[in-house]
Amino acid sequence: MTDEELLAKFKDPSSRNYAFNLLIRKYQQKIYWHVRKMVIDHDDADDLVQETFIKVWNSLEQFRGDSQLYTWIYRIATNECLNFLNKKRRRFFLPIGDVEGELMEKLESNADYVTSGNELSGEEVQLKLQKALLKLPDKQRLVFNMKYFDDMKYEEISEITGTSVGALKASYHLAVKKIEDYLTKTDTTD
């Protein structure tokens, strides 16, 4: 079912719940992995996905269609992730490095889990890449994840993040450079 058909069914009170269930089935897994790559922890990701879809439910009637439905949902999920990470830092008065360290521990303890799509396994190369990603600032990591793992176009990322395409390209390039530097350093120190 297309997004337009889902939206039309959602506007009809008799099929609203059915349409929303279809919307969740269509986007839940993509949103989960988008969130999970940012927060690492499964339980945190589940909570944030739930919060995302609660906000979607509460706001879907006001959706104007200025953007595609999935980019609107991604934007809500992205904001939920960034707010969650910022609250975590403030709640525990943690400097960025401490949150990064906590996420690093979770990543290492979860190194054996297998995901669909972007296979995150105990393989050392994948673990090093994930550690390198945790060294990036949140927004830079977000751009890298969306471009590299989700294979999104810069224009789509721009709609989701509200950032210009030029700034996104620069951010992605910087992220790639930092990841290369990190991987090069860890290869020489191993």
Side-chain angles (χ1 to χ4, degrees):
M1 187 173 290
T2 67
D3 288 346
E4 292 77 23
E5 292 169 326
L6 280 174
L7 289 169
K9 284 197 178 299
F10 187 82
K11 288 179 180 169
D12 177 359
S14 67
S15 59
R16 175 168 290 157
N17 289 341
Y18 174 69
F20 192 69
N21 284 331
L22 290 176
L23 182 136
I24 288 174
R25 280 193 202 142
K26 186 173 183 177
Y27 292 112
Q28 185 174 26
Q29 190 172 14
K30 287 180 183 178
I31 296 298
Y32 172 82
W33 288 114
H34 172 66
V35 170
R36 177 80 184 258
K37 283 180 257 170
M38 287 300 292
V39 300
I40 307 300
D41 185 69
H42 166 73
D43 293 331
D44 291 341
D46 267 353
D47 290 345
L48 290 170
V49 168
Q50 185 174 3
E51 288 298 316
T52 297
F53 281 107
I54 288 170
K55 287 189 175 182
V56 168
W57 170 265
N58 290 332
S59 304
L60 196 55
E61 283 188 80
Q62 289 81 39
F63 177 69
R64 295 185 311 265
D66 295 341
S67 62
Q68 294 177 33
L69 182 60
Y70 90 95
T71 57
W72 180 72
I73 295 171
Y74 261 76
R75 177 175 235 163
I76 293 169
T78 298
N79 289 338
E80 288 295 310
C81 284
L82 295 174
N83 289 339
F84 171 81
L85 292 170
N86 286 333
K87 281 181 196 170
K88 194 171 208 169
R89 284 189 194 100
R90 281 195 311 270
R91 187 174 340 138
F92 299 110
F93 302 106
L94 294 174
I96 290 173
D98 289 351
V99 172
E100 174 191 307
E102 181 187 335
L103 292 175
M104 203 73 81
E105 285 175 26
K106 285 181 181 180
L107 180 65
E108 288 172 355
S109 70
N110 292 333
D112 295 329
Y113 75 83
V114 177
T115 67
S116 66
N118 307 318
E119 294 286 319
L120 239 192
S121 68
E123 293 178 33
E124 210 163 308
V125 173
Q126 187 67 24
L127 187 59
K128 282 182 182 181
L129 174 59
Q130 293 300 319
K131 285 182 177 182
L133 287 172
L134 289 176
K135 297 282 184 191
L136 298 175
D138 292 341
K139 288 186 179 178
Q140 212 169 58
R141 180 164 34 119
L142 182 71
V143 170
F144 182 85
N145 285 340
M146 293 168 100
K147 182 73 179 142
Y148 183 80
F149 290 114
D150 298 339
D151 200 27
M152 296 178 108
K153 293 179 172 65
Y154 285 114
E155 291 75 17
E156 294 171 322
I157 300 170
S158 176
E159 277 186 52
I160 292 165
T161 61
T163 306
S164 73
V165 170
L168 291 172
K169 287 179 179 180
S171 184
Y172 182 76
H173 177 75
L174 282 171
V176 168
K177 183 78 178 116
K178 288 177 184 178
I179 290 167
E180 286 173 350
D181 290 348
Y182 177 84
L183 294 175
T184 304
K185 283 182 198 166
T186 58
D187 281 346
T188 59
T189 59
D190 287 346

